[in-house]
Amino acid sequence: NSYTESPFVETALFLSKTGDVITKVNQTKTAIGYISLGSLNDTVKALTVEGVEATAANVTNGSYKLWRPFVIVTNNSVSLTAATVDFISYLQSTQAQTIVAENKYVNVTATAAYIAPVQAITGVIVVRGSTSVDPLMAELIADYLSIGGTKVSGIDFQVDAQGSSHGIAAAKEDTTGNVIGMSSSAIKSADAEVLNQFDIAKDAVAIVVNNANSISNITVQQLFDIYTGEITKFSQLG
């Protein structure tokens, strides 16, 4: 539809890190941005969209329309290391979904519980990608290490969150089978041909403005008009 076919206004500022978006909106009275609900704090103000608050419950019941998947990807042309296979088993587990819910994200289906390996596993797992997924991933890694105990304590996690595209590229370039990519958007069809993927959560996308801004609600059409340059002042929102 037209919402996906129209380009961003040329003056839009693109920031790859969630923390940078929060800082920019906090410091700029005329700014508007979007971030992960799980990263929302009181330094910025979240708007309702079409009168609906950004919450996990409202994504689940379908009333909040702005959400995205949190996707995990690996290279499908290499054999994954034992450590990577074990951690992915955890990421697809019921225990992982408990962490997802505790951090204000929306659960996806998981039917099996993670069971720690019988023999101890060692190795390096390289995690790259989305700054939005990163806080949740930190919680998941901590839970995995807690459940696995001494059986997985020899695994070294090397995490570097520089954006979804960085995670996709890292997974595509993996030749050793120990790279996990994080993306906060659906995988492009061309990339899907070379990547294995699964969702670990759904995330409500919070629309944020400076705390001094008087507006409290916005419509999807107004958001579209702001990001394509039709609306240039908050006073135009009525």
Side-chain angles (χ1 to χ4, degrees):
N1 58 41
S2 61
Y3 289 134
T4 59
E5 294 170 357
S6 297
F8 281 99
V9 62
E10 291 183 359
T11 54
L13 178 63
F14 293 91
L15 300 172
S16 62
K17 297 183 178 181
T18 299
D20 291 343
V21 176
I22 294 173
T23 298
K24 187 66 176 180
V25 173
N26 170 260
Q27 296 176 350
T28 311
K29 291 184 178 180
T30 57
I32 186 169
Y34 56 90
I35 62 171
S36 166
L37 176 63
S39 299
L40 181 64
N41 58 44
D42 60 6
T43 65
V44 293
K45 180 170 72 172
L47 303 180
T48 57
V49 178
E50 310 281 0
V52 180
E53 184 180 357
T55 66
N58 286 339
V59 171
T60 300
N61 66 33
S63 61
Y64 191 78
K65 304 301 184 182
L66 300 183
W67 64 271
R68 58 188 174 178
F70 278 178
V71 187
I72 298 300
V73 297
T74 57
N75 191 308
N76 64 19
S77 67
V78 297
S79 297
L80 299 180
T81 64
T84 306
V85 169
D86 192 67
F87 182 55
I88 287 176
S89 176
Y90 164 78
L91 290 178
Q92 296 177 309
S93 72
T94 52
Q95 294 101 315
Q97 286 306 304
T98 296
I99 301 299
V100 167
E102 288 176 352
N103 285 273
K104 301 189 292 184
Y105 301 103
V106 181
N107 290 111
V108 296
T109 301
T111 58
Y114 168 75
I115 300 175
V118 175
Q119 301 294 328
I121 299 175
T122 61
V124 174
I125 297 178
V126 177
V127 184
R128 299 286 186 267
S130 168
T131 61
S132 295
V133 181
D134 185 46
L136 175 60
M137 180 58 70
E139 296 286 342
L140 292 169
I141 291 173
D143 189 55
Y144 168 72
L145 293 174
S146 175
I147 295 173
T150 57
K151 300 300 184 181
V152 300
S153 60
I155 297 176
D156 177 24
F157 283 91
Q158 298 180 1
V159 183
D160 184 17
Q162 295 187 32
S164 295
S165 60
H166 181 238
I168 298 300
K172 290 169 66 176
E173 295 166 3
D174 179 26
T175 59
T176 55
N178 69 339
V179 178
I180 292 175
M182 306 179 290
S183 176
S184 57
S185 61
I187 306 305
K188 297 178 180 178
S189 56
D191 291 333
E193 295 177 0
V194 296
L195 298 173
N196 292 320
Q197 61 175 295
F198 61 92
D199 295 353
I200 56 170
K202 295 178 181 178
D203 174 44
V205 178
I207 305 301
V208 295
V209 296
N210 187 275
N211 280 322
N213 197 314
S214 62
I215 69 167
S216 58
N217 180 66
I218 199 164
T219 68
V220 172
Q221 183 63 54
Q222 287 170 336
L223 279 172
F224 177 76
D225 289 343
I226 288 172
Y227 281 109
T228 56
E230 185 70 22
I231 292 177
T232 59
K233 298 180 180 179
F234 285 113
S235 59
Q236 294 175 259
L237 300 181

